[in-house]
Amino acid sequence: MKKEIKENSFDREGFLQIVKDPSILWDIIIVGGGATGLGVALDAASRGFKTLLLEQADFSSGTSSRSTKLAHGGVRYLAQGNISLVNEALYERGLMLKNAPHLVKLLPFIIPSYNWWGKYFYGIGLKIYDWMARKLRMGKTVLLKSREVKEIMPDIKKTGLNGGVLYFDGQFDDSRLAINLAQTSAENGGVLLNYMKVTSLIKDDNGKISGVTAQDVINGEEFTLKSKMVINATGVFVDKILKMNSDIKDPIVTTSQGIHLVLDRSFFRGDHALMIPSTSDGRVLFAVPWHGHLLVGTTDTPLDSASMEPVALESEISFVLKNLSTYLEKKPEKKDILSVFAGLRPLVVPEKEKGTKEISRDHKLMASPSNLITITGGKWTTYRKMAEDTVDEAIKIGNLDKKACRTMNLKIHGNTNILPKNSHLDIYGSDLENITKLIKNNSELNAKLHPEFPNIKAEIVWIVQNEMVVTLEDVLARRLRVLFLNAKAAIEMAPEVAHIMAEELKKDSNWELKEVKKFTELAQNYLPEPYYPPVPATKTESPKLKKI
């Protein structure tokens, strides 16, 4: 018996039933479910195009869940003279705050100064930054005296401090925004599938791409999908899709790795972020309060190849700790790291290669003779504009109906300005009401999953029912974010979360054990030292609930 498909619902089984229909001719198929691909899926679906997105793993499982969590113009790009990128990003930052206020927040930053000219030099640059944002400016840049910096940042190194600069930028939760983009696309008629790997491109007799073949990673089922246009939005993997299309001589992107460390907030208390404008090798470093922890990054390490699960290098960890320590009274050590994660950036290769700091963060949009459209480069903050440019190109190349972009004022799923203050449930936005209903129906769902985290059982039930999770990693890494905050706590939480998932997904105890084992091994990459719980956590029965 076929499952009934609710119109515009975000349901993997329902979407699988749709793609099994061989008569469907999609207007646009997007390969890749990171920030760029999801942005394209939302843009295309909201214009009324028959849209399908295919992602080989989970949504935002790559680079798009491993950012510094900043919606910003890019102060360092201003210093490099890339005015057009900063202009565009500042405008898009304002739209993110307007359309997803439950996830994008105003964040004050301070650049401390330890020489007489520092605060004036950076102050002038940031005044220009403010001016470029115009009506979408988030706050006013202010020069601070040393006494004021010490009051705001009690843990900053005080020796030689002579003041600082206060400025404002945006902060957001990257993978939470990604899942909300996917949900918004579905609400506009889009079909999106995670764990669906594109295996080849289909061409017609004229050598033009007419679709893709894909395989369900979960059960191996294969699909042949017809489409007027195919868009390659696979980030650091774009060259792999280009090779399916033709023999490319040179890669169009190079890969750079950036890592982040997560520390306890005791190292840097307060609600302001620290911006270190120049590290020992000239890069910028941020220390940002995030979900009750301190997020520090990032690095910029050139790599020869890309992988699905990159691992931080010892040299990168040492670099971050060393440079952060020069600005703090309390010096963090490797043993203090709660989680460390690495992400890969797709950087557009210029004609003459340079160090990765200088390779372009501007996005690159290109169309092959076969009509394959490839979009890469860019940054999270500019995802919407990248998507708009891409769909405009698809309309032009594919002779699709001319329809105007709608995403400039399109509210993202969950958007609301009415949220309880300082609640970890803020990230669910308007969905919080439904999570509250679950708790009202059964008070046991209000129980915490771990003594060090505020997350509760009701979140797992809601996530499994409504956010297209397949694995334990999907929940702990990208829906709850616990793996990125405290890998040890995530390992300890895993058995309980797996058990709740198993009941909701109707899986047996073998599935639970396999998922916990697989997740525990994965989580070792996020720890400074290996950790395996001495005694498995005891399962507790989770109440069976009806879907609301």
Side-chain angles (χ1 to χ4, degrees):
M1 180 178 175
K2 282 190 174 182
K3 179 179 177 178
E4 183 181 347
I5 303 170
K6 185 179 178 181
E7 186 178 1
N8 297 345
S9 64
F10 192 64
D11 177 76
R12 191 171 191 273
E13 290 303 314
F15 287 159
L16 282 171
Q17 283 190 36
I18 292 172
V19 299
K20 286 177 182 178
D21 183 348
S23 67
I24 294 179
L25 174 62
W26 301 93
D27 290 317
I28 296 175
I29 290 179
I30 300 115
V31 187
T36 305
L38 291 168
V40 174
L42 175 55
D43 187 294
S46 64
R47 295 197 204 199
F49 292 119
K50 194 169 290 186
T51 304
L52 172 64
L53 179 143
L54 306 173
E55 162 57 43
Q56 66 176 332
D58 186 28
F59 304 117
S60 78
S61 60
T63 305
S64 298
S65 62
R66 301 158 191 260
S67 73
T68 314
K69 328 302 177 195
L70 299 180
H72 63 146
V75 174
R76 73 175 172 124
Y77 306 123
L78 181 61
Q80 292 169 4
N82 195 338
I83 303 299
S84 62
L85 176 59
V86 176
N87 246 329
E88 180 177 273
L90 285 171
Y91 182 74
E92 293 300 323
R93 179 192 70 175
L95 295 183
M96 287 176 70
L97 180 63
K98 184 178 72 170
N99 293 327
H102 62 300
L103 290 175
V104 186
K105 308 293 182 185
L106 176 73
L107 182 65
F109 288 76
I110 288 182
I111 302 177
S113 174
Y114 292 89
N115 51 50
W116 68 269
W117 54 266
K119 67 179 180 181
Y120 301 107
F121 175 78
Y122 295 114
I124 292 170
L126 287 163
K127 289 283 187 181
I128 296 171
Y129 193 67
D130 286 350
W131 174 80
M132 290 174 69
R134 296 176 178 83
K135 65 179 181 180
L136 294 175
R137 186 178 74 179
M138 286 186 157
K140 186 178 180 181
T141 293
V142 178
L143 299 185
L144 302 175
K145 297 177 181 178
S146 59
R147 171 182 53 80
E148 294 172 307
V149 175
K150 291 173 187 177
E151 288 176 357
I152 295 170
M153 294 180 161
D155 301 302
I156 197 76
K157 186 185 79 170
K158 298 171 181 65
T159 304
L161 181 69
N162 72 348
V165 183
L166 169 69
Y167 76 99
F168 296 86
D169 239 324
Q171 182 183 39
F172 73 115
D173 188 312
D174 47 15
S175 66
R176 288 301 313 175
L177 180 57
I179 200 66
N180 285 168
L181 288 174
Q183 290 170 311
T184 313
S185 178
E187 289 161 3
N188 281 270
V191 173
L192 305 93
L193 285 165
N194 53 4
Y195 296 96
M196 182 68 76
K197 184 175 183 178
V198 169
T199 52
S200 69
L201 303 175
I202 302 169
K203 294 183 180 180
D204 62 20
D205 294 339
N206 296 315
K208 304 296 184 183
I209 290 177
S210 58
V212 303
T213 61
Q215 184 177 51
D216 188 332
V217 175
I218 307 303
N219 60 21
E221 186 174 0
E222 296 182 346
F223 298 84
T224 298
L225 305 160
K226 297 176 291 186
S227 182
K228 297 174 185 177
M229 292 300 299
V230 173
I231 293 170
N232 175 15
T234 52
V236 292
F237 300 108
V238 290
D239 290 318
K240 288 188 176 182
I241 302 299
L242 286 170
K243 285 179 181 177
M244 290 182 187
N245 180 48
S246 63
D247 293 328
I248 59 171
K249 295 179 181 179
D250 299 309
I252 68 166
V253 298
T254 188
T255 303
S256 166
Q257 175 164 290
I259 75 153
H260 292 83
L261 309 181
V262 177
L263 303 168
D264 187 83
R265 281 293 298 277
S266 63
F267 286 97
F268 193 74
R269 294 163 294 170
D271 298 324
H272 290 62
L274 169 67
M275 196 270 228
I276 299 173
S278 183
T279 57
S280 56
D281 69 349
R283 293 186 173 97
V284 171
L285 197 69
F286 293 98
V288 181
W290 185 57
H291 292 321
H293 295 71
L294 183 68
L295 176 70
V296 187
T298 181
T299 56
D300 215 341
T301 307
L303 295 182
D304 294 328
S305 61
S307 64
M308 290 293 293
E309 191 59 49
V311 178
L313 304 175
E314 285 294 329
S315 59
E316 293 179 298
I317 294 172
S318 298
F319 169 85
V320 173
L321 288 174
K322 179 183 176 181
N323 281 277
L324 178 65
S325 293
T326 61
Y327 283 81
L328 300 184
E329 294 282 2
K330 183 181 177 183
K331 313 298 184 186
E333 300 176 18
K334 185 177 177 182
K335 64 180 177 61
D336 298 312
I337 297 171
L338 300 176
S339 184
V340 53
F341 57 91
L344 304 181
R345 304 182 190 91
L347 302 177
V348 178
V349 178
E351 291 182 9
K352 293 182 180 180
E353 288 195 23
K354 304 174 182 179
T356 62
K357 282 181 295 178
E358 299 178 57
I359 292 176
S360 177
R361 287 301 296 271
D362 290 28
H363 62 272
K364 182 180 181 70
L365 181 61
M366 55 180 279
S368 302
S370 64
N371 285 359
L372 174 68
I373 292 178
T374 296
I375 175 70
T376 191
K379 48 190 281 190
W380 240 117
T381 311
T382 57
Y383 84 89
R384 191 209 65 82
K385 184 64 170 69
M386 292 169 66
E388 179 182 353
D389 291 348
T390 304
V391 177
D392 283 347
E393 185 70 9
I395 291 172
K396 176 182 168 184
I397 299 294
N399 293 317
L400 303 179
D401 293 340
K402 290 184 179 180
K403 301 177 182 180
C405 175
R406 296 181 54 234
T407 56
M408 193 175 292
N409 299 303
L410 183 61
K411 301 299 183 183
I412 305 303
H413 178 96
N415 82 91
T416 179
N417 288 302
I418 305 171
L419 286 169
K421 290 186 177 180
N422 300 319
S423 168
H424 80 283
L425 296 173
D426 286 359
I427 59 172
Y428 298 100
S430 58
D431 285 336
L432 174 57
E433 181 182 353
N434 292 318
I435 296 174
T436 303
K437 286 179 183 177
L438 287 174
I439 298 168
K440 281 185 178 180
N441 288 341
N442 193 319
S443 60
E444 289 181 29
L445 290 180
N446 202 31
K448 289 174 67 174
L449 295 165
H450 192 279
E452 295 179 26
F453 277 81
N455 303 96
I456 57 177
K457 293 181 179 181
E459 291 177 74
I460 310 304
V461 175
W462 174 260
I463 286 168
V464 174
Q465 291 181 356
N466 298 280
E467 295 188 355
M468 206 185 292
V469 292
V470 174
T471 71
L472 180 58
E473 179 198 346
D474 297 343
V475 175
L476 288 173
R478 288 171 293 279
R479 305 302 188 275
L480 293 186
R481 309 318 311 268
V482 181
L483 177 61
F484 286 80
L485 294 167
N486 187 323
K488 182 179 177 182
I491 292 170
E492 293 169 348
M493 199 185 289
E496 178 71 26
V497 174
H499 185 59
I500 298 171
M501 289 181 69
E503 289 203 338
E504 290 296 319
L505 295 170
K506 296 181 172 54
K507 303 289 186 180
D508 59 21
S509 58
N510 287 331
W511 181 89
E512 288 183 51
L513 292 172
K514 287 178 181 177
E515 283 295 308
V516 170
K517 181 180 179 181
K518 185 171 65 173
F519 178 79
T520 302
E521 289 299 328
L522 171 77
Q524 305 308 312
N525 293 332
Y526 293 71
L527 287 162
E529 300 292 340
Y531 172 72
Y532 294 90
V535 179
T538 304
K539 284 192 306 192
T540 61
E541 290 301 317
S542 296
K544 291 179 170 54
L545 294 161
K546 292 182 179 179
K547 198 167 183 175
I548 64 169

